[in-house]
Amino acid sequence: MAAGDGEEGEVAGRGLTAERSRVASASDVGYLEGVIPIIVDLPMVLGHEATGTVEEVGEGVTDFKVGDEVAQAVKATDAPGVSRDGGYGEYVIGNVEMLVHKPAGVSRSQASAATDAGVTSYSGVVVHGGIKKGMRVGILGLGGLGMTGARIAVAQGAEVIGIEPREQVWEAAKERGVSRVVKDVSELAGEDLDVVVDFAGFGETTVKAIDAVKFGGTVVLVGMGKLEFEFSSFDFITRAINLQGSTTIGRREDLEAVLKMIADGDLVIESSDIAFDEIPDGIDRLAKGEVSGRLVARYDS
């Protein structure tokens, strides 16, 4: 990972020598299949969740030096593998304004997964959901992001109820501190939850979540299972429900918060390591829905 003060806040320099990690993610599948638009001219190297070692810094950089282990916060318009060549390449250019030091006690695999997957969950739960101690919270969809989000909500001191039709993951959710799990969010209608975070986003999940929150409660939409849906405005208006969209916004403090939770032992993001030459097979497995958690490609020099 390089750090510097080049044009438009970009990093001047190159980096990521020694051991390197990049996450192979479902977003990469979306780029390859044309579901998620690419904002720069092709060709481009994918891989937007990267950690590594600083090899070179730009002029005027004082917060980072050669040899530092770092990770970069990401957002939709500024990230490796999104707005510039990414982590599947030999070097990565990063934005010094979003660069953070990797804590010594956090592995490369966990740090890579934290940069987007961890921060996406954190953003839905803390940044946009405002979840804090004493709240009653529903986490809708206990896949990789939802399970991470559930654990983050528990760590904030909330009572967490999971919503997930796949019973085989219920025990894992309870091991992470979830108090109980139901199959459908409609089972929580009238329970007056403070917040429901929808990591599924299939339209009807969001609509049903409105009935589960209290007057003035909040439904946070993270998942994009369905990109368009209709809902009745009556309950939305008469019960003063807040519907909040959520995505990562590239703040280093959010990534630092997730990394601290990992370093403190409060959070483990489910992941498995693969080698560089296994990336194509890994992306194929992601496309087929055969991956649980994140795949982390580790480059050892």
Side-chain angles (χ1 to χ4, degrees):
M1 183 76 69
D5 289 330
E7 290 186 37
E8 301 176 351
E10 298 283 327
V11 172
R14 304 198 307 171
L16 280 177
T17 56
E19 184 184 74
R20 304 177 290 278
S21 298
R22 290 94 156 112
V23 172
S25 73
S27 298
D28 293 338
V29 175
Y31 292 133
L32 290 169
E33 294 182 346
V35 176
I36 302 176
I38 295 176
I39 62 175
V40 296
D41 292 335
L42 299 178
M44 182 183 71
V45 178
L46 293 177
H48 66 276
E49 300 176 76
T51 62
T53 304
V54 174
E55 182 185 82
E56 184 177 325
V57 297
E59 184 179 351
V61 174
T62 58
D63 292 339
F64 302 93
K65 65 182 184 303
V66 172
D68 284 350
E69 293 188 85
V70 295
Q72 184 188 292
V74 303
K75 57 183 176 181
T77 56
D78 189 356
V82 176
S83 60
R84 68 185 76 89
D85 284 340
Y88 299 162
E90 185 177 2
Y91 298 99
V92 174
I93 296 176
N95 184 334
V96 70
E97 294 177 353
M98 298 193 292
L99 210 60
V100 304
H101 293 277
K102 182 185 77 65
V106 177
S107 71
R108 292 284 179 87
S109 296
Q110 286 291 289
S112 294
T115 58
D116 188 19
V119 175
T120 295
S121 299
Y122 181 87
S123 296
V125 169
V126 178
V127 178
H128 296 122
I131 292 171
K132 56 183 181 290
K133 186 176 181 179
M135 284 187 167
R136 298 178 65 240
V137 176
I139 299 295
L140 205 167
L142 295 176
L145 293 179
M147 198 72 84
T148 299
R151 179 58 199 167
I152 291 173
V154 169
Q156 301 307 306
E159 176 192 348
V160 180
I161 302 170
I163 305 106
E164 173 56 57
R166 299 171 301 145
E167 292 187 31
Q168 62 266 33
V169 304
W170 287 13
E171 189 58 36
K174 292 176 182 178
E175 290 173 357
R176 288 167 170 79
V178 174
S179 62
R180 62 187 171 105
V181 187
V182 299
K183 285 190 174 183
D184 193 279
V185 69
S186 62
E187 298 176 54
L188 301 177
E191 289 218 10
D192 289 342
L193 302 180
D194 294 287
V195 182
V196 171
V197 185
D198 185 357
F199 285 97
F202 283 101
E204 67 174 11
T205 56
T206 309
V207 173
K208 292 177 182 178
I210 292 173
D211 294 330
V213 298
K214 67 183 183 181
F215 184 94
T218 298
V219 176
V220 180
L221 180 55
V222 180
M224 294 190 289
K226 188 175 182 181
L227 298 183
E228 295 183 6
F229 60 91
E230 295 181 355
F231 65 95
S232 170
S233 61
F234 182 77
D235 281 345
F236 180 70
I237 294 170
T238 60
R239 296 178 53 234
I241 303 300
N242 303 295
L243 180 58
Q244 172 69 55
S246 179
T247 190
T248 59
I249 53 179
R251 300 191 312 187
R252 67 167 65 177
E253 57 261 41
D254 297 339
L255 177 54
E256 288 171 337
V258 175
L259 290 172
K260 185 177 188 303
M261 292 179 67
I262 296 171
D264 291 346
D266 291 328
L267 175 66
V268 176
I269 301 173
E270 184 181 3
S271 67
S272 54
D273 291 353
I274 60 175
F276 172 78
D277 57 5
E278 295 177 297
I279 291 175
D281 177 66
I283 290 177
D284 185 57
R285 288 166 54 203
L286 284 165
K288 294 176 180 177
E290 298 175 352
V291 177
S292 178
R294 316 300 283 181
L295 288 179
V296 182
R298 295 177 65 91
Y299 303 0
D300 298 319
S301 56

